[in-house]
């Protein structure tokens, strides 16, 4: 039965009348555009069902037979790392396609710089069917001279103009070389052949509290259909993420976040700087800040990612798993998830997504083992099943190209550092750290030669590790059968 807006409104009204009585809220509660519950939204369920056939056909070509209902859910995730991560992700999906593996992926999720690559890819309907011309066009854009500075028209309508807008316009565009005014909800129905995309940020106020019991509330995801708290089951229609709500009801609509701003939120690494470092950023961008103030676009305050809170004034008994402090505030600040964990593990570890295998592309600038180690520790702290992570200490300086951490009643995790002892052994200085220094996050946009070299290294990782990837995909199918 199709659920209409009228039915949802009546449901919300009946629940409101029943509140305070002995009735308990249903497990999956719809209040107009707000949805409380852990189930996947219907659109994502339908996408996964359609995608399953594509995955099955891909497995057949790889000589890994599987019945449709036993197809494994494989998630490809990309870490942060600015333009290095963006280019690394583009090269990786292109090589996965060449190796016949891309169509095995059910989900594609990213943080920070990887979301810049995702945003570029998903501008093209069904891009994964033929990613070569798509990636070539994106790389050609990155090789170009950039764009003239301007703000999208919708930004002048926002109540909560903040530093993430300035960061998006003045910094993100320097690297992505475009002003993308499309919105996530426009992607609905245009990517039936592609992995389902998940963009991730974190709730800054929850991060600042640093309390273990609240960590499940820190993870926030955005998809073409919904945005919300991944692990505590509170979501809003993506079109209204940023609009003003009271007790689950829409009271003031705001323009949907455009993709330039989404990239700024996801890639706002400066949002957690110390006061002195923040002041340094302010001084370097003083002219643009003053321009924003005089234009009436923003208050002269240093806030990041300020967004109307769709859970504002909801009753705790309706949203039992969400920290009560979230329900009290009219706005929330959302920032780069890489400031807590530089990979989007917890978007694909939602139990409802039933992920069997996670392939993590790590484009981090520093310690190549830190992210997988942090994911393991955070999972233990939150009581989330995650495979045991152990590796030789020497691998922090000279990592392998692939690590497999098998799960026991958990997804198996494959960790793949971008710079490693295999794809850097052809370098004249044979020093991974020196190679890494060529691609520093804040060194400015990469030149065409550096982009090509980076794409070649990322592609080499997938070529060199294909046998191991195939082995783990085959194991995932066998585990699903049993």
């Amino acid at each position: 039965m199709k659920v209409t807006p009228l039915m949802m409104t009546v449901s919300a009204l009946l629940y409101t009348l029943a509140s305070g009585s002995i009735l308990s809220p249903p497990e999956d509660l719809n209040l107009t555009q707000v949805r409380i519950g852990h189930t996947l939204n219907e659109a994502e369920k339908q996408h996964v069902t359609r995608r399953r056939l594509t995955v099955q056909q891909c497995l057949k070509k790889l000589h890994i037979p599987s019945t449709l209902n036993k197809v494994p859910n494989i998630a490809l995730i990309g870490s942060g790392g600015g333009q290095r991560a963006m280019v690394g992700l583009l090269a990786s999906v292109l090589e996965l396609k060449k190796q016949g593996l891309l169509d095995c992926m059910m989900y594609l999720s990213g943080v920070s710089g990887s979301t810049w690559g995702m945003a570029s890819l998903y501008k093209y309907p069904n891009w994964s069917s033929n990613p070569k011309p798509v990636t070539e066009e994106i790389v050609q854009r990155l090789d170009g001279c950039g764009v003239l500075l301007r703000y999208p028209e919708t930004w002048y309508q926002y109540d909560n103009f903040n530093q993430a807008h300035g960061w998006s316009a003045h910094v993100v565009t320097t690297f992505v070389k475009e002003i993308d005014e499309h919105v996530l909800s426009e992607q609905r129905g245009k990517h039936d052949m592609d992995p389902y995309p998940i963009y991730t940020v974190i709730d800054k106020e929850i991060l600042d509290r640093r309390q273990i019991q609240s960590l499940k509330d820190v993870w926030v995801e955005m998809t073409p259909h919904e945005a919300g708290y991944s692990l505590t089951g509170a979501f809003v229609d993506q079109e209204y993420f940023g609009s003003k709500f009271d007790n689950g009801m829409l009271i003031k609509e705001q323009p949907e976040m455009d993709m330039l701003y989404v990239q700024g939120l996801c890639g706002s690494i400066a949002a957690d700087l110390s006061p002195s470092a923040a002041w340094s950023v302010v001084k370097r961008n003083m002219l643009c800040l003053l321009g924003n103030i005089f234009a009436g676009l923003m208050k002269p305050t240093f806030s990041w990612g300020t967004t109307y809170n769709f859970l504002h004034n909801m009753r705790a008994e309706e949203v039992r798993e969400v920290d009560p402090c979230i329900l009290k505030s009219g706005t929330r600040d959302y920032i780069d998830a890489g400031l807590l964990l530089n990979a989007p593990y917890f978007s694909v570890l939602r139990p409802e997504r039933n992920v069997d295998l996670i392939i993590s592309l790590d484009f981090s600038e520093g310690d190549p083992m830190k992210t997988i180690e942090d994911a393991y520790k955070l999972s233990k702290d939150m009581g989330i099943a995650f495979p045991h992570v152990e590796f030789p200490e020497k691998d922090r300086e000279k990592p392998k190209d692939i690590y497999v951490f098998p799960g026991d009643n958990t997804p198996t995790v494959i960790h793949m550092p971008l710079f490693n002892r295999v794809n850097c052994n052809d370098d004249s200085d044979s020093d991974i750290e020196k190679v890494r220094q060529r691609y520093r996050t804040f060194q400015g946009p990469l030149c065409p030669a550096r982009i090509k070299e980076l794409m070649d290294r990322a592609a080499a990782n997938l070529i060199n590790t294909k046998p191991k990837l195939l082995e783990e995909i085959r194991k995932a199918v066998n585990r699903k059968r049993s």
Side-chain angles (χ1 to χ4, degrees):
M1 181 177 67
K2 184 178 180 180
V3 180
T4 67
L6 177 60
M7 292 168 63
M8 289 192 291
T9 302
V10 171
S11 174
L13 177 61
L14 290 174
Y15 177 73
T16 301
L17 293 173
S19 63
S21 70
I22 59 172
L23 295 178
S24 298
E27 182 180 348
D28 200 339
L29 172 68
N30 284 286
L31 296 170
T32 60
Q33 292 83 14
V34 176
R35 185 175 70 87
I36 306 302
H38 284 281
T39 58
L40 298 180
N41 66 77
E42 287 302 316
E44 181 176 340
K45 289 179 184 177
Q46 292 169 15
H47 185 103
V48 168
T49 298
R50 291 190 296 267
R51 179 72 179 170
R52 191 168 285 124
L53 182 59
T54 301
V55 176
Q56 184 192 36
Q57 292 170 345
C58 180
L59 291 172
K60 184 177 180 180
K61 292 177 183 176
L62 296 170
H63 308 290
I64 307 175
S66 172
T67 58
L68 197 60
N69 64 335
K70 297 298 183 181
V71 164
N73 286 353
I74 303 174
L76 180 68
I77 66 174
S79 79
Q83 195 182 39
R84 177 184 62 254
M86 177 186 185
V87 172
L89 182 77
L90 294 174
S92 297
V93 296
L94 178 59
E95 192 58 43
L96 282 168
K97 185 68 175 184
K98 291 179 180 178
Q99 299 300 324
L101 300 175
L102 183 59
D103 288 340
C104 288
M105 309 301 153
M106 184 66 74
Y107 289 100
L108 176 56
S109 184
V111 304
S112 202
S114 282
T115 65
W116 300 355
M118 290 172 59
S120 291
L121 289 169
Y122 282 87
K123 285 177 62 179
Y124 301 84
N126 292 324
W127 61 267
S128 64
S129 298
N130 186 16
K132 189 174 188 295
V134 172
T135 54
E136 286 177 348
E137 188 170 325
I138 296 169
V139 170
Q140 185 177 16
R141 187 186 80 218
L142 297 181
D143 288 345
C145 58
V147 295
L148 293 174
L149 177 64
R150 67 175 178 83
Y151 291 160
E153 288 296 321
T154 55
W155 287 15
Y156 295 86
Q157 303 172 39
Y158 286 137
D159 291 348
N160 297 305
F161 192 95
N162 61 82
Q163 276 302 305
H165 288 95
W167 178 265
S168 304
H170 297 273
V171 178
V172 174
T173 56
T174 303
F175 293 98
V176 302
K177 306 288 184 72
E178 71 169 348
I179 296 173
D180 188 350
E181 298 184 62
H182 294 89
V183 294
L184 260 176
S185 65
E186 289 179 10
Q187 296 179 11
R188 297 172 183 177
K190 297 179 180 178
H191 295 278
D192 290 349
M193 302 297 292
D194 299 325
Y196 193 73
I198 311 170
Y199 299 76
T200 58
V201 292
I202 53 175
D203 187 311
K204 186 177 187 298
E205 290 101 323
I206 297 295
L207 174 66
D208 290 343
R209 291 170 65 189
R210 304 282 180 176
Q211 295 180 358
I212 296 301
Q213 61 268 32
S214 299
L215 273 181
K216 282 191 176 182
D217 289 303
V218 81
W219 313 102
V220 178
E221 63 180 56
M222 292 176 279
T223 73
H225 301 98
E226 280 189 331
Y229 291 86
S230 301
L231 299 182
T232 47
F235 303 96
V236 66
D237 189 301
Q238 178 61 40
E239 290 186 61
Y240 300 99
F241 185 49
S243 290
K244 192 173 185 178
F245 285 80
D246 186 79
N247 192 23
M249 297 297 177
L250 177 67
I251 61 173
K252 184 177 183 181
E253 190 171 341
Q254 296 277 278
E256 182 180 350
M257 298 175 181
D258 56 65
M259 292 308 297
L260 174 58
Y261 183 61
V262 168
Q263 291 174 87
L265 276 186
C266 293
S268 55
I269 192 171
D272 200 38
L273 294 175
S274 65
S276 60
W279 175 237
S280 176
V281 173
V282 170
K283 287 191 293 184
R284 288 198 301 271
N285 294 279
M286 185 61 76
L287 289 178
C288 78
L289 292 173
L290 289 174
N292 292 337
I293 294 167
F294 290 132
L297 287 173
M298 60 174 288
K299 299 176 182 178
T301 57
F302 199 81
S303 63
W304 286 83
T306 303
T307 307
Y308 278 130
N309 178 16
F310 68 92
L311 296 176
H312 183 226
N313 275 341
M314 289 195 70
R315 291 183 291 275
E317 61 268 22
E318 296 174 349
V319 199
R320 292 195 180 105
E321 295 185 49
V322 175
D323 191 314
C325 77
I326 294 177
L327 311 180
K328 297 174 184 177
S329 62
T331 61
R332 307 299 296 175
D333 292 346
Y334 301 118
I335 60 173
D336 190 329
L339 294 167
L340 179 57
L341 181 66
N342 202 29
Y345 280 104
F346 296 106
S347 66
V348 298
L349 283 172
R350 272 183 66 184
E352 307 80 44
R353 291 196 165 119
N354 295 311
V355 169
D356 303 287
L357 177 63
I358 300 173
I359 300 174
S360 175
L361 305 174
D362 192 277
F363 309 116
S364 301
E365 179 175 307
D367 181 350
M369 307 306 293
K370 184 179 188 302
T371 298
I372 184 69
E373 190 175 48
D374 286 350
Y376 174 57
K377 291 176 180 177
L378 284 167
S379 297
K380 287 186 68 176
D381 289 341
M382 293 187 291
I384 294 174
F386 197 87
H388 180 72
V389 171
E390 191 173 355
F391 52 87
E393 192 63 23
K394 63 181 176 63
D395 284 14
R396 294 188 188 277
E397 293 185 6
K398 293 187 175 181
K400 298 188 295 184
D401 53 355
I402 187 168
Y403 295 82
V404 177
F405 301 102
D408 183 13
N409 296 319
T410 71
T412 290
V413 173
I414 295 176
H415 177 69
M416 301 181 63
L418 172 60
F419 302 116
N420 54 71
R421 67 180 79 157
V422 179
N423 76 350
C424 291
N425 68 357
D426 61 340
D427 197 82
S428 58
D429 52 35
S430 298
D431 188 325
I432 294 174
E433 182 57 30
K434 288 183 179 179
V435 175
R436 192 181 290 129
Q437 291 298 318
R438 299 174 194 166
Y439 305 97
R440 298 293 298 274
T441 303
F442 292 111
Q443 69 182 18
L446 298 171
C447 68
R450 285 282 186 258
I451 289 176
K452 183 182 184 307
E453 181 185 351
L454 184 60
M455 293 191 73
D456 289 344
R457 290 190 189 276
N461 273 358
L462 277 304
I463 295 170
N464 296 335
T465 60
K466 181 181 179 181
K468 193 65 178 176
L469 290 171
L470 278 173
E471 179 185 341
E472 294 305 321
I473 291 171
R474 185 173 285 106
K475 286 180 181 178
V477 171
N478 291 336
R479 286 195 301 271
K480 200 83 168 183
R481 286 175 185 156
S482 61

